[in-house]
Amino acid sequence: MESEERYRRAKRRVRVLKGFYIHLATYIAVMALLLLIDFLTGGGWWFYWPLLGWGIGIVAHAFTVFGIKGFLGSEWEEKKTRDLMNSYSNK
């Protein structure tokens, strides 16, 4: 039963991550399109308002998915330290 529970938890985590990455990709695509429209119409550079508003939503979504530890937390520090150590040994 423990193996089945771990599988369900992992499957749920994958769905949550996938949802965030789809949200982020949509944000990037829409913001690029709005920037292009704003540039082509010679407008008053209004695109940054949706960029800012939706950007706040993206950050909030990221915090719910990754938590505060995901952004520059101790796990990130350990991983980055290992990555840098590996890159120094390859030189």
Side-chain angles (χ1 to χ4, degrees), residues 34-51:
L34 290 178
L35 175 62
L36 179 66
I37 291 169
D38 197 7
F39 179 74
L40 292 176
T41 59
W45 296 110
W46 50 264
F47 83 94
Y48 58 86
W49 291 112
L51 179 90

Side-chain angles (χ1 to χ4, degrees), residues 29-73:
V30 169
M31 291 306 124
L33 180 64
L34 290 178
L35 175 62
L36 179 66
I37 291 169
D38 197 7
F39 179 74
L40 292 176
T41 59
W45 296 110
W46 50 264
F47 83 94
Y48 58 86
W49 291 112
L51 179 90
L52 180 64
W54 195 351
I56 292 169
I58 288 285
V59 170
H61 192 174
F63 275 119
T64 61
V65 171
F66 299 108
I68 192 71
K69 289 191 251 179
F71 292 109
L72 307 178

